[in-house]
Amino acid sequence: MNSPLSQFDIICVIPLGIFGYDLSITNFTITIILALCVGGFLLLFLFNNNLIPTMWQVFLESIFIFIFRLVYYQTGKLGLVYFPFIFSLFLFILLLNLISLMPFGFAVTSHLIWTIYFSFSICLGIFLIGIIRHKVRFFKLFVPE
């Protein structure tokens, strides 16, 4: 590590090219896979539904209740359909940020292209769902009264 900013460099770990496409494994890819594995481990092995919960189960349930209340107070009963998506997105970004705080961790959320990709795809999904559900009335949301 030469400078404090070298944690933001994308380094090719395993070069891989298939049919002219660069599909190399980088530290960016490894960090995202690690966050998905840690999140899967947390949800599968520590969320047991025991009668007497463990410390980890209480911690995960408090995060679950926090996000559930946040979604419910902002969107009401009809918005709870989107709770699993919002909860998983919250946990994924939280785990990526926590992994980047570790020594020699890679800060995925500091890269502009990742932020643009996620925000663009989520906004596109919201617009498509809004147009499908509400047709032309959806655009009245953007016009002030």
Side-chain angles (χ1 to χ4, degrees):
M1 228 173 178
N2 298 335
S3 74
L5 296 178
S6 64
Q7 72 171 339
F8 302 112
D9 292 339
I10 296 178
I11 300 167
C12 182
V13 178
I14 301 172
L16 185 64
I18 298 175
F19 301 118
Y21 292 104
D22 184 23
L23 300 174
S24 300
I25 305 295
T26 62
N27 54 351
F28 187 90
T29 311
I30 292 171
T31 305
I32 289 178
I33 291 170
L34 179 66
L36 289 173
C37 291
V38 168
F41 173 77
L42 285 174
L43 292 177
L44 289 177
F45 296 113
L46 298 178
F47 207 55
N48 294 331
N49 292 331
N50 292 334
L51 185 62
I52 301 173
T54 61
M55 179 184 66
W56 288 105
Q57 187 175 348
V58 170
F59 176 70
L60 288 174
E61 285 178 2
S62 64
I63 292 174
F64 183 87
I65 290 170
F66 170 72
I67 300 298
F68 181 81
R69 287 182 181 159
L70 186 75
V71 171
Y72 180 74
Y73 292 149
Q74 295 297 319
T75 61
K77 286 186 178 182
L78 295 176
L80 289 178
V81 175
Y82 306 108
F83 170 72
F85 172 71
I86 295 170
F87 181 67
S88 61
L89 184 67
F90 173 82
L91 277 184
F92 183 62
I93 293 173
L94 176 70
L95 287 172
L96 285 175
N97 287 333
L98 289 176
I99 289 172
S100 70
L101 290 175
M102 292 182 183
F104 303 107
F106 183 70
V108 174
T109 56
S110 67
H111 288 271
L112 186 62
I113 192 67
W114 190 86
T115 309
I116 289 173
Y117 170 74
F118 258 63
S119 62
F120 181 73
S121 61
I122 291 170
C123 286
L124 184 66
I126 290 170
F127 282 123
L128 289 175
I129 290 171
I131 290 171
I132 290 170
R133 288 189 71 179
H134 301 289
K135 308 287 188 253
V136 181
R137 291 182 294 141
F138 176 72
F139 294 108
K140 289 173 77 174
L141 178 69
F142 302 107
V143 178
E145 292 183 29

